[in-house]
C-alpha cells in the first residue's frame, strides 16, 4: 500500500544518510526499519518484516552499547517486536530468546523508573508467557503470565481507563496458561474476570473489542463445559444484544 511504499522510501533515504553520517542518522534509520517491519507484517509479508526488524535490532544494539540511557528502551521495543515476528514464522526458540532479552532490559528500566516502563515490562512478560508455552515450558509460562497480571492490576488501579483492557487480555492469557497445567477451576475464574473486566469497554466500543471479547467468551464457555458447569448468565446477559458483533450463535 501507499504507506508501506513511503516507509520503504524513508528507509532508503535514511540508509544513504547513515552511510555518510552514522552518528547523526543511524537512530532514524533504525526507527524507519522498525516501522517498515510493522507495515510488512500488517500485509502478511512475514519474512520481509522479519529481516527489517532484525536489522533494526542490530542497529539499536550498537547504539545501546554506546549510549544505553538513550537507546536501551528502543532496543527492548525492537526485541519485543522481533520475538513476535519470529513466532509468526515458527522460530519458537529464537522468539523466546528475543523476548527474554526484552524482559531483562525492561525489568532493569522498570526498576529505575516504574511509571515509564512498567507497562512495557508487563507487555513483554505476557509475550514471554506465550512463547514459553509454545516450547512446552508450562510452569515458567504460568509464572511469567502471573507476574504480568500483577503489574497490570497495579497499573489499572492508578489508571483504569488506560490499563483495564490490558488487564483483561493478560487475564485471558492467564486462563490459557492455567488450563495448560490442568488448573481448570482457576482458569475459569481468570476467563470470567477477563470477560467482566472488558465488558464496559466492549459495550461502549463493540467494533474495537469484538475480536478480543469473542476469544475470551469462547475460552470461558469451553472451560465451563470441560468442568461440567453452567456459565454465569449474569455475566453474559449484558452481551446478548451485541451477539452479532461477537459472531456468536
Amino acid at each position: 500500500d501507499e504507506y508501506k511504499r513511503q516507509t520503504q522510501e524513508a528507509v532508503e533515504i535514511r540508509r544513504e544518510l547513515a552511510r555518510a553520517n552514522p552518528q547523526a542518522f543511524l537512530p532514524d534509520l533504525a526507527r524507519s526499519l522498525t516501522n517498515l517491519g510493522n507495515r510488512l507484517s500488517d500485509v502478511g509479508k512475514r519474512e520481509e518484516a522479519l529481516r527489517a526488524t532484525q536489522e533494526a535490532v542490530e542497529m539499536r544494539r550498537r547504539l545501546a552499547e554506546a549510549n544505553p540511557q538513550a537507546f536501551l528502551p528502543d532496543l527492548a521495543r525492537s526485541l519485543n517486536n522481533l520475538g513476535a515476528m519470529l513466532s509468526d514464522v515458527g522460530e519458537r526458540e529464537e522468539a523466546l530468546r528475543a523476548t527474554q532479552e526484552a524482559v531483562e532490559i525492561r525489568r532493569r528500566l522498570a526498576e529505575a523508573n516504574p511509571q515509564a516502563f512498567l507497562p512495557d515490562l508487563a507487555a513483554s512478560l505476557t509475550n514471554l508467557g506465550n512463547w514459553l508455552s509454545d516450547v512446552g515450558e508450562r510452569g515458567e509460562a504460568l509464572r511469567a503470565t502471573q507476574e504480568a497480571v500483577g503489574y497490570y492490576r497495579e497499573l489499572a488501579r492508578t489508571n483504569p481507563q488506560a490499563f483495564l483492557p490490558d488487564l483483561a487480555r493478560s487475564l485471558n492469557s492467564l486462563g490459557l496458561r492455567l488450563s495448560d497445567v490442568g488448573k481448570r477451576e482457576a482458569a475459569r475464574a481468570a476467563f470470567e474476570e477477563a470477560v467482566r473486566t472488558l465488558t464496559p469497554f466492549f459495550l461502549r466500543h463493540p467494533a474495537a473489542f469484538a475480536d478480543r471479547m469473542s476469544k475470551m467468551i469462547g475460552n470461558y464457555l469451553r472451560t465451563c463445559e470441560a468442568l461440567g458447569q453452567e456459565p454465569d448468565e449474569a455475566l453474559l446477559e449484558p452481551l446478548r444484544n451485541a451477539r452479532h458483533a461477537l459472531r456468536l450463535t
Side-chain angles (χ1 to χ4, degrees):
D1 62 8
E2 181 62 19
Y3 187 48
K4 184 187 79 172
R5 189 193 64 75
Q6 290 174 355
T7 307
Q8 287 172 320
E9 186 177 355
V11 165
E12 292 313 310
I13 292 169
R14 285 174 167 166
R15 196 183 296 282
E16 187 175 339
L17 291 167
R19 285 193 197 102
N21 189 341
Q23 188 171 356
F25 294 108
L26 207 58
D28 292 334
L29 175 56
R31 189 178 308 113
S32 286
L33 282 163
T34 298
N35 291 341
L36 179 60
N38 292 335
R39 298 292 79 73
L40 288 165
S41 179
D42 288 344
V43 297
K45 301 202 172 200
R46 293 176 175 177
E47 295 288 349
E48 291 180 53
L50 179 57
R51 285 194 293 273
T53 304
Q54 285 170 323
E55 188 178 358
V57 165
E58 291 314 308
M59 287 179 186
R60 284 178 161 169
R61 197 182 295 286
R62 295 199 301 273
L63 290 164
E65 285 168 1
N67 189 343
Q69 188 170 355
F71 294 110
L72 269 178
D74 291 333
L75 174 59
R77 190 176 304 114
S78 284
L79 284 163
N80 198 61
N81 289 349
L82 179 60
M85 290 177 187
L86 285 163
S87 179
D88 283 345
V89 298
E91 297 287 349
R92 294 176 175 179
E93 294 285 352
E94 290 185 43
L96 178 57
R97 282 194 291 273
T99 306
Q100 284 171 324
E101 188 178 357
V103 166
E104 289 166 10
I105 294 169
R106 284 175 163 174
R107 197 182 294 285
R108 295 199 303 271
L109 292 168
E111 285 168 0
N113 188 344
Q115 187 172 357
F117 294 109
L118 202 58
D120 292 335
L121 175 58
S124 283
L125 281 164
T126 300
N127 288 347
L128 180 61
N130 293 335
W131 311 155
L132 284 164
S133 178
D134 283 348
V135 299
E137 298 286 349
R138 294 179 173 180
E140 289 184 48
L142 177 58
R143 285 190 289 275
T145 309
Q146 286 171 325
E147 186 179 358
V149 167
Y151 291 140
Y152 278 128
R153 285 196 196 284
E154 183 180 336
L155 291 162
R157 276 193 292 271
T158 56
N159 191 342
Q161 286 301 116
F163 292 110
L164 279 174
D166 292 323
L167 174 59
R169 181 170 50 239
S170 197
L171 283 162
N172 185 66
S173 293
L174 178 60
L176 294 171
R177 303 291 76 82
L178 288 163
S179 295
D180 287 344
V181 297
K183 296 185 176 182
R184 288 181 176 172
E185 287 284 358
R188 180 190 191 278
F191 290 134
E192 183 173 321
E193 186 181 356
V195 172
R196 196 180 309 279
T197 301
L198 193 62
T199 291
F201 297 88
F202 170 69
L203 292 178
R204 285 199 297 273
H205 306 288
F209 292 102
D211 286 346
R212 197 181 309 178
M213 182 62 90
S214 293
K215 291 174 184 175
M216 290 177 185
I217 292 175
N219 290 334
Y220 173 63
L221 293 175
R222 281 189 293 274
T223 304
C224 289
E225 184 178 3
L227 288 165
Q229 298 174 357
E230 291 297 319
D232 183 348
E233 287 301 319
L235 174 71
L236 300 177
E237 184 58 35
L239 308 172
R240 299 294 185 200
N241 292 335
R243 262 181 199 275
H244 64 284
L246 292 170
R247 297 190 297 279
L248 296 172
T249 56

